[in-house]
Amino acid sequence: MEIGISTASFFTKVQTEETFEYIKNFGASVCEVFLSSFCEYEGILADEIIKNRCVDVHSIHTLTNQFEPELFSLNPRANADALCIFKKVLNTGKKLGANYYTFHGATRLKKINYNFDYDRLGRIVNNLIEIAQSYDICLSYETVHWAYFNEPQYYINLKKKVPNLKATLDIKQIMQANGDYREFLKAIGNDLTTVHLCDYDEDRKLYIPGKGKFDFVELFKRLLDLGFNGSCLMEVYPQGYSTFEQLKESYNYLLECLDKAKK
């Protein structure tokens, strides 16, 4: 198990292609690349991001609502367009050497009770997994409070239809969904590939790790007991810190927590 950083942690501070040197200088050897716009999915900027990579890329991530919900669309034209974009992102991910695609999927935008057709969802997700595999990338479905996977039972039900399903655990998203990450871990089990790390307090305010109340030592102990050997990636919001030195200190705090968890 290793601690890394998502390039999303630098969002609006520096451009994606400029983040790698900061991550490397912090001492991290692995990252998640957050591709934040269509212009980064292919072409000149994608090539620049690929060229500047100087740490291992565990996973790639996209700005979900630009196309991922339409991968589930009943409109064949919208679905075809979304699949085309999905493949462009995967192609860039392969060139970056990414092992995983962090996936949000469809969203819960309406305030209604969602009754899922797991047969249909299973067909869609199985197809997306096969497409990702053709680029040597594994699709990893993330816990997101405003998306379909915001409760453990959704994963349990979908897994019955998608044997190769994998998952990403985001602790802040689970908190925002009023859930308990321990229950999500039980549902995901050995399917876990990635963990996103952010801190928060009892008032649900978000912080960089070490400034809130979340018990990272307990989390890491649970992950070690699970036999998890993937990446735990710091993914924080830019308003959570003022200087890159603060971000580096937060990364070092996570390393200290992992050392404690191993004892």
Side-chain angles (χ1 to χ4, degrees), residues 225-251:
D225 289 344
L226 189 64
F228 177 66
N229 62 356
S231 293
C232 294
L233 302 163
M234 183 167 66
E235 184 189 62
V236 300
Y237 294 107
Q239 60 268 31
Y241 66 95
S242 300
T243 67
F244 291 136
E245 184 61 30
Q246 291 173 331
L247 198 61
K248 182 178 180 180
E249 290 172 0
S250 184
Y251 170 72

Side-chain angles (χ1 to χ4, degrees), residues 109-256:
L109 295 180
K110 298 181 180 180
K111 294 182 179 180
I112 61 174
N113 291 323
Y114 283 78
N115 295 310
F116 296 116
D117 180 349
Y118 286 100
D119 287 327
R120 178 175 181 272
L121 290 174
R123 289 192 297 271
I124 293 170
V125 176
N126 275 317
N127 182 53
L128 295 175
I129 287 174
E130 289 179 8
I131 292 171
Q133 287 175 338
S134 71
Y135 290 86
D136 300 320
I137 292 175
C138 174
L139 186 142
S140 185
Y141 213 137
E142 185 176 14
T143 59
V144 180
H145 77 277
W146 44 263
Y148 283 7
F149 185 15
N150 70 358
E151 56 183 343
Q153 195 60 46
Y154 175 82
Y155 190 86
I156 293 169
N157 292 341
L158 187 60
K159 179 71 176 181
K160 295 174 183 176
K161 307 295 181 179
V162 187
N164 293 325
L165 192 61
K166 302 295 181 182
T168 294
L169 185 84
D170 188 309
I171 59 173
K172 68 179 179 299
Q173 291 283 352
I174 292 172
M175 175 273 291
Q176 291 167 330
N178 298 314
D180 185 332
Y181 80 84
R182 302 167 189 85
E183 295 303 314
F184 280 81
L185 274 180
K186 289 179 184 177
I188 296 168
N190 292 326
D191 293 335
L192 186 65
T193 70
T194 314
V195 180
H196 283 165
L197 305 174
C198 186
D199 209 343
Y200 55 84
D201 63 16
E202 59 273 7
D203 295 322
R204 302 162 65 91
K205 185 177 179 181
L206 299 179
Y207 298 89
I208 59 175
K211 301 301 181 180
K213 300 294 184 181
F214 185 83
D215 190 340
F216 288 98
V217 175
E218 179 192 346
L219 170 66
F220 293 153
K221 284 182 177 178
R222 288 181 180 275
L223 293 175
L224 291 169
D225 289 344
L226 189 64
F228 177 66
N229 62 356
S231 293
C232 294
L233 302 163
M234 183 167 66
E235 184 189 62
V236 300
Y237 294 107
Q239 60 268 31
Y241 66 95
S242 300
T243 67
F244 291 136
E245 184 61 30
Q246 291 173 331
L247 198 61
K248 182 178 180 180
E249 290 172 0
S250 184
Y251 170 72
N252 287 333
Y253 170 78
L254 290 173
L255 293 179
E256 293 170 4

